[in-house]
Amino acid sequence: MARTTTTASRFTAWKAVAAVGAGVVLLGAGGATFAEWSDAEQSATATPIAAGVLDLAAGEGSWTNVAGTDVTAAVENGSYLIVPGDALTYRETLTIDAKGDLLTGVVSHNLTGLTGDAELRDQLTAGAEMTLNGTPVVGTSAPVTAADDLQRLDVAVTVAFDESTAGLVGQGQHVTLGGLDISLTQAPVVSAG
């Protein structure tokens, strides 16, 4: 009988070991985790990001004749009558607001030509020029860089009547000046890679 008691004790001991092993497996399967060292820091938290500006704003324009007289109202209502040797000049000051750390751009003009009666049109010449921040623009475009203050863009369009026009050439005829288109465009940002 003593032998049976020893066998029963061993069997009971193996049952206890098996139960503990099963308990460990069940704890692992039940989502229990073991502690590991860890740390965390916040970075770039609540960082403000602000966008730049690229804007072109028109101003008040006016027309003058070759004598320097303001003839804006008469030109706009069609009552001003140009003659050989006269020249009509339209002037306007626009403002450029350009702000941005990597901002560059290009301002350009495109003068739309004269249309209308061919005889008068052949006696007229139309030209345009720009001055950016006091510096005359060579050609039809100029680079623009970002600045703290508003920048000044002066534009002028001149329509001149050939002073050598004689006889009845162009008398009583009409032409239309299409206008001067001014554009301000951002240049591509150059990336390091």
Side-chain angles (χ1 to χ4, degrees):
M1 275 294 192
R3 197 171 172 99
T4 306
T5 304
T6 304
T7 304
S9 291
R10 284 190 197 161
F11 182 70
T12 303
W14 278 109
K15 277 176 72 176
V17 169
V20 169
V24 169
V25 171
L26 287 173
L27 281 174
T33 58
F34 295 98
E36 295 177 354
W37 280 354
S38 65
D39 192 8
E41 295 290 341
Q42 290 187 332
S43 182
T45 302
T47 302
I49 306 294
V53 176
L54 185 64
D55 182 59
L56 180 65
E60 284 289 322
S62 63
W63 286 95
T64 55
N65 61 16
V66 74
T69 305
D70 186 330
V71 293
T72 304
V75 170
E76 290 178 350
N77 68 27
S79 65
Y80 188 85
L81 303 176
I82 194 169
V83 297
D86 194 1
L88 294 174
T89 300
Y90 177 80
R91 288 185 176 83
E92 181 180 348
T93 298
L94 298 91
T95 54
I96 295 173
D97 190 3
K99 293 181 177 67
D101 283 83
L102 293 178
L103 179 66
T104 58
V106 176
V107 63
S108 59
H109 74 77
N110 178 27
L111 179 63
T112 307
L114 298 164
T115 58
D117 295 324
E119 195 175 68
L120 177 59
R121 192 178 67 235
D122 289 345
Q123 303 308 309
L124 301 175
T125 57
E129 56 187 33
M130 293 192 305
T131 302
L132 179 60
N133 299 320
T135 302
V137 172
V138 177
T140 60
S141 65
V144 173
T145 56
D148 292 333
D149 299 320
L150 295 178
Q151 301 179 56
R152 179 182 173 126
L153 179 68
D154 294 306
V155 298
V157 179
T158 300
V159 178
F161 199 152
D162 185 355
E163 63 183 3
S164 66
T165 304
L168 302 176
V169 174
Q171 291 187 23
Q173 296 185 1
H174 298 84
V175 297
T176 300
L177 175 65
L180 184 67
D181 296 326
I182 309 290
S183 62
L184 178 61
T185 308
Q186 180 188 349
V189 174
V190 179
S191 66

